[in-house]
Amino acid sequence: MAHSLDGTLPTAPPEDSQKHTDHHLTTVHGVELLFYWDPYLNSSRAQTFVRTPFPSGLQPGSHQDRPALLVLGSGLWYLRYAESGGLPAWESMIESTLQSLSSADTQPADIVVILPIEDVVPAKLSPDRASTMHASDIDAMNSDLAHRIRPPSLADPFTFFGFFDQQTSLPVAFPSVFNHMLDDSQTEDGLHFSNAVVNMQASMLMNLRCNDVLPKVFPLDKTCCTSYPWPSAIHLLVLVVTILWGPVSWILVRRHGELELLNTSCCISPGYDLGSNTSQNSFIHKEQMPAMVISISVALIYMADRTGFWLKEQKQFNPWTFSFLCIFSLAIGLLTVQRAENDKGFLNRDQTDEWKGWMQSASKVSGIYNPIRVLVASYLFMTGYGHATFYIKKADFGFLRVAQILIRLNLFTLVLAYTMNTDYISYYFSPLVSWWYLVIYVTMFIGARYNDRTPFLICKILLSLTLVTFVMRETGDSVLNVVFGFLERACGIHWSAREWSFRVNLDLWIVYVGMFAALAVIKIREYRLTEHPQWPLAVKAATVVSALVFLWFFAFELSMDKFQYNFYHPFTSSLPVLAFAVLRNANPVLRSASSKAFAFIGKCSLETFIIQYHFWLAGDTKGLLLVIPGTRWRPVNMMLTTIMFIYVSNCVSQATGELTKRICGSVPTPALPTVMEVSNPRIPPATGNDSESGQEIIFQAPSDELELPVRKDNAGNVLPSEPDTPARPQPRWVDRLAQGSSRPSTPGVNIWYGKVEWQPGLKAKLLIALFGMWILNVLWTYPATT
């Protein structure tokens, strides 16, 4: 313990003759460590530490003077020497000591620890020790200690809530895990263990004393010997509102539906089919499903990573386990490969979904971290390729599309940032993709009327690349510090300029590579270069070069650690990305085949990247979630958490897509990601290998048109809708809802008992949301960091 606190102090007494003597050491920081040799804990000196009056210099009323940590250990000498009285004498001493500690008005130390009786290795004990120190006696003594300190009746499964104060539990810590840390190879005499073991035990005792009083700030990666912080008032309000949003809306709609059914059942017209109202037949209607999914998901994620309901363990990388899981995942991907009936074209939707389904990482292992960096770059490459394709072909720079993409990318990220009390920028992937989308949008929007002129478009993209590079690389820290400083003062936003600069600079040019690739693919199709006689030869040459580039890259990235690779990554990441794109689309068979398993993961890859911070991993990605405690159940635990993680991610992906559609109130659009049809008259219709020339990966939410009722006469002819008149005023929205009215297509807000209905537009909704977040940020409280 002394050496752990101060490296200049010794790890053991200077001589063996001084082992059984008292010691008094002081660290360079002024921490005093006192060791008293009393193997029976029955002397008057030992008992003064658990009874009043306290030892000289220690005043029970002075928090500064009493020990911060009192560690008591005894047991083996009672077994070793019969004259001590043996087990009966030990049991009497323990009972007296615990009785004194439990009845004391003031505890003798901030934390009192009674050590377990240390297990021995019988095969390595000397004959004299082996004849008296029996493993069965040690087990019985530890069992007795455990039952006295924490009776089995106190093992309340709901203690993680912290609502129950266990007054009958003794104010004593009993680190029984100490014996689980002992290994036969770490002792020579079967009794005394190596410094490696003892140092870890000392570290645990320091964690026990210090961890719970250290600042509890994000990331919450210290789960040993600490309690989770209670949310602040504003944090608790946001958390409760989010969790109750789904259930409350379901209850209200359920009750409202019953009332509407009761009211309409008295005035059913002869042609009205009550059975067609499916909202009354389903337990949770699809209208309430997104809210329920978000609420349940947030509650589950918070319970997993901000309470002690489930345990966490430290991440331990095993190359054999990792290799097996990679092979197993690859096998699943290959077994689910399906080939489409026709050639789906270059970088088609199934292919890009599959590509996105690969992105998870082991960041501390360079041989894995470096390729994973390329996969993140691949996502950004697809971002540049997809959005540039859309803006070149469709030239739709409307506000609706921008809102759809940014809301879809950031909706659940913002929800987690507030409910988990984290930092939005820490979920770096969503902010990063949002940033690059805005860069692409501004680049394509400026001078958009001339985007059909290739030289102009190339110069514009190069100018954007130069400007962004100059800002981020030359003046990045200074500019970002000014911007983030303003956001902190004006909006209460606390972002790290250094972290953001690192994330942007790491993939500084790959998005522009994607934009140039989009332009190249469009021009190849526009000028029908695939019909040129030399095109097959060019494809073969590109395939060979791409394969060589792939081999070179793996040799290159394995030759350096992650920090060295980070320097080269912005310059080299485009090579393996382009090489893969060429190899993956080398022939119609490869283009039309895709793995359904990987594509399924890819469709919710945004959610998996965000939710893994708390639910698959733990401690804000610093640990692993343990649904089933115990290292022996680690494989089962991983399977269970993986299934739960993927299921929750998929549900959240669908829910956020639906919520995006409702917020934007847009006309029906394809699901995320989607395919946009070609409308540029300069590009000829796609044929053969060009069947997917109009494809583009975008982030939009699906929407369904409301099915409107149709009025008919007695002969079945369709009649126009009846206009509202003074004699027949416009019904309330609840009446229109019950009668299947066609108004309105977007949800409104009832004011004053439904007399007035306010239907905010998209811009009004976003302004309200931004104002609400500004209020939250200004009122948010942050724990002290010192």
Side-chain angles (χ1 to χ4, degrees), residues 27-40:
T27 70
V28 293
H29 303 290
V31 179
E32 291 186 86
L33 296 102
L34 293 86
F35 173 77
Y36 296 99
W37 171 250
D38 189 350
Y40 299 114

Side-chain angles (χ1 to χ4, degrees), residues 338-647:
Q338 295 184 5
R339 182 180 176 185
E341 295 181 357
N342 59 339
D343 186 347
K344 305 194 72 174
F346 183 80
L347 285 180
N348 57 76
R349 172 185 168 182
D350 291 340
Q351 199 178 112
T352 53
D353 282 343
E354 175 192 270
W355 202 349
K356 290 186 294 182
W358 299 351
M359 294 192 305
Q360 301 298 339
S361 66
S363 63
K364 291 188 177 182
V365 181
S366 299
I368 303 170
Y369 168 86
N370 300 344
I372 291 298
R373 290 298 336 153
V374 174
L375 290 180
V376 176
S378 302
Y379 201 109
L380 296 177
F381 168 83
M382 288 184 279
T383 298
Y385 177 86
H387 291 305
T389 300
F390 175 83
Y391 285 125
I392 292 173
K393 293 180 177 181
K394 300 290 290 185
D396 178 10
F397 295 93
F399 179 76
L400 174 61
R401 173 181 166 80
V402 177
Q404 285 177 321
I405 293 173
L406 293 181
I407 293 173
R408 177 65 180 88
L409 284 173
N410 296 283
L411 180 60
F412 197 69
T413 304
L414 290 171
V415 170
L416 284 187
Y418 285 111
T419 56
M420 301 298 289
N421 194 17
T422 57
D423 187 357
Y424 166 74
I425 217 75
S426 65
Y427 305 98
Y428 74 90
F429 193 70
S430 291
L432 189 64
V433 177
S434 301
W435 154 264
W436 282 117
Y437 167 70
L438 291 175
V439 170
I440 297 168
Y441 177 84
V442 172
T443 301
M444 302 302 296
F445 176 75
I446 297 176
R449 66 171 66 181
Y450 304 112
N451 282 349
D452 58 344
R453 302 178 184 181
T454 304
F456 173 80
L457 186 57
I458 292 176
C459 292
K460 186 168 62 169
I461 295 175
L462 289 176
L463 181 62
S464 173
L465 183 151
T466 303
L467 180 61
V468 171
T469 301
F470 175 78
V471 172
M472 296 306 304
R473 282 202 171 248
E474 300 300 327
T475 63
D477 290 343
S478 59
V479 171
L480 288 177
N481 282 326
V482 172
V483 174
F484 286 8
F486 170 78
L487 291 176
E488 182 174 355
R489 290 189 298 272
C491 305
I493 295 175
H494 300 267
W495 290 348
S496 170
R498 182 173 178 272
E499 174 68 15
W500 182 243
S501 177
F502 167 76
R503 293 298 181 185
V504 174
N505 285 319
L506 198 58
D507 294 294
L508 188 56
W509 300 308
I510 190 65
V511 171
Y512 293 103
V513 174
M515 296 175 70
F516 280 118
L519 180 60
V521 171
I522 290 173
K523 294 304 175 182
I524 287 173
R525 289 168 175 161
E526 182 177 346
Y527 294 107
R528 299 186 180 276
L529 296 182
T530 56
E531 300 175 7
H532 194 279
Q534 299 299 322
W535 180 256
L537 180 60
V539 170
K540 292 179 181 179
T543 302
V544 173
V545 172
S546 299
L548 294 176
V549 168
F550 242 99
L551 294 176
W552 169 85
F553 171 76
F554 282 113
F556 172 77
E557 62 93 5
L558 290 173
S559 66
M560 59 188 68
D561 60 33
K562 59 181 290 186
F563 301 103
Q564 292 175 310
Y565 177 77
N566 281 342
F567 173 79
Y568 293 103
H569 177 75
F571 305 95
T572 62
S573 61
S574 59
L575 298 177
V577 171
L578 291 175
F580 175 82
V582 171
L583 294 174
R584 187 67 177 81
N585 295 271
N587 58 59
V589 175
L590 292 174
R591 286 194 296 270
S592 61
S594 61
S595 170
K596 298 301 179 182
F598 290 150
F600 172 79
I601 301 297
K603 290 177 181 178
C604 57
S605 58
L606 178 66
E607 285 69 29
T608 59
F609 200 93
I610 298 168
I611 295 175
Q612 69 164 339
Y613 277 65
H614 308 291
F615 195 67
W616 195 42
L617 304 177
D620 298 310
T621 73
K622 307 302 181 182
L624 292 176
L625 186 64
L626 282 182
V627 177
I628 304 177
T631 56
R632 61 180 177 176
W633 298 105
R634 187 172 293 160
V636 178
N637 179 80
M638 183 172 184
M639 290 176 56
L640 184 60
T641 56
T642 300
I643 294 173
M644 295 167 60
F645 163 64
I646 294 176
Y647 178 76

Side-chain angles (χ1 to χ4, degrees), residues 74-81 86-88 90-91 116-120 122 129-145 179:
S74 178
L76 288 179
W77 277 51
Y78 279 98
L79 295 178
R80 178 73 178 85
Y81 300 103
L87 287 178
W90 173 85
E91 186 174 356
I117 291 81
E118 187 178 75
D119 285 341
V120 297
R129 290 172 175 171
S131 63
T132 55
M133 297 180 179
H134 301 139
S136 58
D137 292 334
I138 294 175
D139 290 343
M141 296 166 75
N142 284 324
S143 178
D144 182 69
L145 273 176
N179 280 338

Side-chain angles (χ1 to χ4, degrees), residues 90-164:
W90 173 85
E91 186 174 356
S92 176
M93 180 273 298
I94 289 296
E95 184 175 2
S96 174
T97 300
L98 294 179
Q99 179 63 33
S100 299
L101 291 172
S102 62
S103 60
D105 294 334
T106 304
Q107 290 301 306
D110 292 346
I111 295 180
V112 180
V113 179
I114 294 183
L115 298 178
I117 291 81
E118 187 178 75
D119 285 341
V120 297
V121 182
K124 293 186 177 183
L125 291 175
S126 64
D128 291 342
R129 290 172 175 171
S131 63
T132 55
M133 297 180 179
H134 301 139
S136 58
D137 292 334
I138 294 175
D139 290 343
M141 296 166 75
N142 284 324
S143 178
D144 182 69
L145 273 176
H147 281 73
R148 288 177 182 272
I149 295 173
R150 185 174 175 82
S153 60
L154 297 180
D156 191 345
F158 299 101
T159 54
F160 70 94
F161 284 119
F163 296 156
F164 308 102

Side-chain angles (χ1 to χ4, degrees), residues 234-260:
I234 188 69
H235 179 202
L236 184 62
L237 176 63
V238 172
L239 184 64
V240 170
V241 169
T242 305
I243 293 177
L244 294 183
W245 173 39
V248 169
S249 64
W250 173 79
I251 292 173
L252 294 177
V253 171
R254 190 83 176 176
R255 183 176 181 180
H256 172 73
E258 292 174 355
L259 293 176
E260 289 298 323

